[in-house]
Amino acid sequence: MWLAAWPVVAAMALSNEPAPLYVLWQERIGFSAATLTLIYAGYIAGLVLTLSLAGSLADRYGRRPVLLPGLLLGLAATALFITADSVAVLGAARVLSGVSVGAVLSAGMAAVSDLAPEGERKLGGLIASTSMVAGAALGPLLTGVLSQTLPHPTVTVFVLQLVLLLIAVLLVLRMPLPRGAAGAGRPGERLPLIPSAPRAHRRDLLAGLAVFAPAITATGFVLSLGPSLLAQLLRTDNRLISGGLVFVLFAAATGIQFAVRRQQVPVQFALGATLTVAGMAALISAVVLTSVALLLAAAVLAGFGQGAAQLAGLSTLAASVPAARLGEANAALTAGGYLMAGTLPVADGYLSDAAGLTTGTTVFGIVVAALAAAGALTVLPRSRDQAS
């Protein structure tokens, strides 16, 4: 079960490794904040489109036939990052990395649950969820350290990423994974274009999305525009600092999941929403007061919010959805969250170009906080009823 989490860690490391390098690429290639968020949106597009099918494919044909192509595409994306010298190549690398992450998340998190000991599916959900955010924390940390201390900053970290992905390929080849889940659909049956959960569990899926989507959107801002905002506040492009900002965010998202794993799902949902709102309040205060300390606090709180909301959503699905549909259900939760996480930061990027980064960040924070609060008001009464 623990080894099955490694491909998810490796893929998620690739997903966030470019974040500290965006400022460097902006200087070298020359592009605006709006273009930067479009590049990030390319990753989201590849991810969401892949999630639409990868979960169902993993349920029907097994986890391995989805994991291996996903990891190979990750290797191709990594090679493009190494040679990126234009917006087009950078955008292509981000799209491919999104496709890779979509495939690996769909099949990989379900594989962790498949290999969980009997009666420990909740533990499997915890490990699947934390492997996602642990990888997201590892990537920018590696980038920050290696690109700041070694030559060729946009190359070194991706050479190491090739090694991480190759190890994941070897592990997948040796994992005792089932070929496919019974009841996942007949070979000739049409695959769903939009991932979902079985009808009886769709309200569980929607409940998870109501809090998880705003939470991951908050962290999406830090991934796309956070380094630029940090550079504006500190007037520096130090990649160790910007990589550390993203690392702290996802380290917080990892740590809180272990801290609240024994809490009831309603408590986890409430924490996710409350911490997301607090993170957005800190973000708005950071740009108004030009405070690096508040920006760091915003990153930590946003990470806490995503971690708690993600654990609640994935644990709910792992405990209730049959194994034959779990990959698709996980994909639906992830895709729905990332869809919002891709849309709002892009809109904020264009607003920031037109009205300034301070105005764009303030509007973004208010919108995300309102969505998180509305999600909590929708989910918590129902969650309490189920708990009782």
Side-chain angles (χ1 to χ4, degrees):
M1 176 178 62
W2 288 93
L3 287 176
W6 178 253
V8 178
V9 172
M12 287 305 299
L14 174 63
S15 74
N16 289 339
E17 278 166 350
L21 299 173
Y22 282 142
V23 173
L24 191 62
W25 276 317
Q26 275 184 294
E27 293 176 355
R28 181 186 302 171
I29 301 172
F31 51 84
S32 67
T35 301
L36 191 157
T37 54
L38 283 174
I39 292 171
Y40 176 70
Y43 162 75
I44 298 294
L47 173 67
V48 171
L49 291 174
T50 305
L51 286 169
S52 298
L53 288 177
S56 300
L57 288 171
D59 286 339
R60 181 172 301 183
Y61 300 108
R63 316 308 186 195
R64 197 181 343 259
V66 177
L67 279 168
L68 287 176
L71 292 169
L72 293 176
L73 287 173
L75 290 169
T78 304
L80 285 178
F81 279 124
I82 292 174
T83 60
D85 58 359
S86 68
V87 171
V89 175
L90 195 56
R94 284 307 268 159
V95 171
L96 275 182
S97 64
V99 174
S100 170
V101 171
V104 174
L105 282 183
S106 297
M109 291 197 296
V112 173
S113 295
D114 290 342
L115 298 176
E118 191 69 27
E120 296 287 351
R121 292 196 72 187
K122 189 173 182 180
L123 175 63
L126 171 65
I127 294 173
S129 182
T130 53
S131 66
M132 177 179 172
V133 288
L138 175 65
L141 179 64
L142 289 176
T143 300
V145 172
L146 297 180
S147 68
Q148 196 66 35
T149 59
L150 297 177
H152 311 295
T154 59
V155 173
T156 308
V157 67
F158 294 112
V159 172
L160 177 59
Q161 178 62 33
L162 289 174
V163 177
L164 300 182
L165 289 170
L166 286 171
I167 293 172
V169 170
L170 294 176
L171 286 173
V172 170
L173 288 172
R174 296 183 61 84
M175 278 183 207
L177 293 170
R179 294 184 179 274
R186 295 181 296 275
E189 187 178 343
R190 189 175 179 180
L191 290 170
L193 294 178
I194 300 175
S196 184
R199 184 179 298 275
H201 305 289
R202 285 178 188 170
R203 295 187 67 186
D204 293 331
L205 173 61
L206 292 175
L209 279 172
V211 178
F212 173 61
I216 198 171
T217 300
T219 60
F221 173 89
V222 178
L223 288 173
S224 57
L225 289 178
S228 297
L229 184 59
L230 188 63
Q232 176 177 299
L233 293 177
L234 286 180
R235 305 188 189 285
T236 177
D237 63 352
N238 188 296
R239 293 174 295 281
L240 185 56
I241 296 175
S242 58
L245 178 73
V246 181
F247 169 77
V248 165
L249 184 157
F250 285 106
T254 304
I256 196 172
Q257 294 189 53
F258 285 100
V260 304
R261 68 187 186 279
R262 300 188 189 282
Q263 298 294 328
Q264 295 294 321
V265 167
V267 175
Q268 295 170 352
F269 274 132
L271 281 172
T274 302
L275 291 165
T276 299
V277 172
M280 293 301 93
L283 178 64
I284 294 169
S285 300
V287 297
V288 171
L289 301 175
T290 61
S291 169
V292 175
L294 283 171
L295 180 61
L296 179 62
V300 171
L301 289 167
F304 282 156
Q306 179 188 329
Q310 181 176 306
L311 176 61
L314 287 175
S315 296
T316 299
L317 295 178
S320 61
V321 176
R325 296 287 301 277
L326 183 58
E328 183 187 353
N330 284 344
L333 180 71
T334 308
Y338 273 108
L339 188 61
M340 182 182 290
T343 303
L344 289 186
V346 169
D348 180 57
Y350 279 99
L351 179 60
S352 296
D353 278 347
L357 196 53
T358 298
T359 300
T361 302
T362 301
V363 172
F364 175 87
I366 292 171
V367 171
V368 172
L371 289 171
L377 292 174
T378 302
V379 169
L380 291 181
R382 178 175 178 271
S383 296
R384 290 194 190 98
D385 290 343
Q386 286 184 330
S388 62

